[in-house]
Amino acid sequence: MPKIYPIGGVKGGVGKTFITASLGALFANRGKKVVLIDLDLGASNLHTLLGIKNPQNGLDSFLDKTVQQLESVAFPTNIPNLFCINSLHCSMEIANLFYAQKLKIINAIRKLPFDYILLDLGPGTNFNTLDFFLTSNEGILVCTPEPTAIENSFRFFKTVYFRKLKQVLKRHAFESAIKSTSINFTNPALKPSNIIEFILKYYPDEERILRKKISEFKFKFIFNQFRQNLDSRLGNQFETICNRHLYSQFQFLGNVSYDWRVCDSVFSRKLYVNKYPYTQPSIDLKKIADKITNKRQSASLTSLEEFSQYRP
């Protein structure tokens, strides 16, 4: 089975595409077969970072059935083992996918014959972005270390968490019961514990299903453009907050240091990690790639008592 890592961000400009391309190149340099998929629909630019001026036959050809297999539009880059699927030539309305189109893309992604599949997502929390982020249980959020960005990142995690929780409840016939209560998913003050405690109280026999689904979440995040004057413990502190307030597993992958040469590499259309392999940001990215590929499997939560340790 391929490892799928959707890479998102709350706002544009945080470096999602930079992180996606860099990690893809690092995995490919280690002999893994990697494909990068540009799902920043309507604002495709992943190909530019890879030094490709005008790619042909991308996601548009798959959606209009010119090709039957998504794999057919994956083109090789100038880096061995690294492939890309672009969305450059999709229509201007591509950002507003029909539900059936979204499912078609997600199902096709899961069948791709690659070792690693990295999804470069658009910014924000629209339903398309959230559902692409949930293509696997190991989505990666890229954010900058400013207080406002961290606050927005927690809101992103909370939103994607509720999106997944609603899907679980719907599939297991909890939705009608939820609607009959005062619980309102659109209430910004709603906590995950409100939903969990309701299920445990009124559906104790289904608690095992819910516990299993929640324990599968292994969300990750990266602080990009990290400057020297900032507290290096910031990421670990944010990880603790997420694990305390949400019933799942969150992992801080690391800081990627700020370097003005990142902009230079974009202008030259050469990947930063290849052009400047011995700089601090490249070292940071290699450590993150190591953490992803050598990650330890965390034990699933196995009891209600273990649930309680994550309660606010």
Side-chain angles (χ1 to χ4, degrees):
M1 292 290 292
K3 291 290 185 180
I4 303 174
Y5 294 103
I7 300 176
V10 181
K11 294 184 178 180
V14 298
K16 297 180 289 73
T17 304
F18 167 72
I19 296 293
T20 303
S22 299
L23 290 178
L26 291 171
F27 293 151
N29 290 340
R30 299 176 183 188
K32 301 298 183 180
K33 188 178 180 183
V34 183
V35 63
L36 311 178
I37 305 179
D38 196 337
L39 290 176
D40 190 350
L41 303 177
S44 175
N45 57 19
L46 178 59
H47 59 281
T48 302
L49 265 69
L50 297 171
I52 300 164
K53 293 185 178 180
N54 189 26
Q56 302 298 318
N57 298 324
L59 194 61
D60 55 310
S61 298
F62 176 68
L63 290 176
D64 66 20
K65 300 182 181 180
T66 301
V67 300
Q68 298 301 313
Q69 303 295 327
L70 186 59
E71 179 187 1
S72 303
V73 296
F75 60 87
T77 68
N78 58 5
I79 299 174
N81 301 319
L82 184 63
F83 296 78
C84 182
I85 296 175
N86 79 92
S87 59
L88 178 64
H89 299 294
C90 290
S91 71
M92 295 299 293
E93 298 179 348
I94 187 63
N96 302 308
L97 283 172
F98 292 112
Y99 183 70
Q101 291 177 309
K102 179 170 58 180
L103 285 184
K104 179 180 179 180
I105 294 171
I106 291 173
N107 290 333
I109 287 172
R110 289 170 173 162
K111 297 176 183 177
L112 287 171
F114 291 85
D115 297 317
Y116 288 92
I117 302 171
L118 276 60
L119 312 181
D120 180 26
L121 306 184
T125 56
N126 63 71
F127 285 164
N128 287 336
T129 299
L130 294 178
D131 289 340
F132 284 136
F133 192 82
L134 290 167
T135 299
S136 82
N137 290 325
E138 300 193 63
I140 299 173
L141 183 70
V142 178
C143 61
T144 51
E146 295 82 17
T148 52
I150 295 173
E151 183 179 356
N152 287 335
S153 296
F154 183 77
R155 288 200 182 107
F156 177 93
F157 278 138
K158 185 177 177 181
T159 303
V160 75
Y161 188 91
F162 276 134
R163 179 71 171 170
K164 185 65 176 180
L165 190 54
K166 286 179 70 174
Q167 293 174 357
V168 173
L169 296 177
K170 185 175 182 179
R171 288 171 188 164
H172 295 281
F174 297 136
E175 190 175 40
S176 60
I178 289 290
K179 287 181 178 179
S180 68
T181 71
S182 59
I183 293 176
N184 180 8
F185 274 100
T186 62
N187 181 359
L190 183 65
K191 297 180 180 180
S193 56
N194 299 141
I195 307 296
I196 303 298
E197 288 167 3
F198 171 82
I199 298 300
L200 296 182
K201 181 177 180 180
Y202 294 102
Y203 292 89
D205 294 338
E206 305 295 338
E207 176 257 343
R208 186 181 299 247
I209 294 174
L210 187 60
R211 183 174 65 233
K212 180 179 183 299
K213 292 296 180 182
I214 291 174
S215 67
E216 291 173 353
F217 303 165
K218 299 179 178 67
F219 298 135
K220 309 174 190 303
F221 64 95
I222 295 169
F223 280 156
N224 191 30
Q225 304 173 30
F226 202 88
R227 298 176 187 268
Q228 291 182 349
N229 62 323
L230 297 173
D231 187 346
S232 61
R233 299 171 297 175
L234 194 59
N236 293 322
Q237 292 168 351
F238 185 47
E239 177 187 281
T240 299
I241 291 172
C242 290
N243 282 323
R244 181 183 301 152
H245 291 279
L246 297 172
Y247 291 79
S248 58
Q249 301 174 50
F250 289 81
Q251 181 184 22
F252 172 52
L253 292 175
N255 301 316
V256 178
S257 302
Y258 172 82
D259 187 350
W260 64 268
R261 286 170 292 191
V262 170
C263 184
D264 172 67
S265 69
V266 174
F267 275 102
S268 64
R269 300 195 178 200
K270 295 182 179 179
L271 276 181
Y272 179 89
V273 292
N274 288 345
K275 188 174 183 180
Y276 302 108
Y278 302 110
T279 57
Q280 188 58 52
S282 289
I283 294 172
D284 295 337
L285 286 161
K286 289 173 185 175
K287 289 180 179 178
I288 289 172
D290 288 339
K291 189 173 288 189
I292 293 174
T293 55
N294 298 320
K295 64 182 183 302
R296 294 177 295 177
Q297 297 297 326
S298 298
S300 298
L301 299 178
T302 57
S303 68
L304 185 56
E305 288 74 18
E306 288 177 297
F307 252 152
S308 64
Q309 69 178 309
Y310 292 102
R311 291 185 177 176

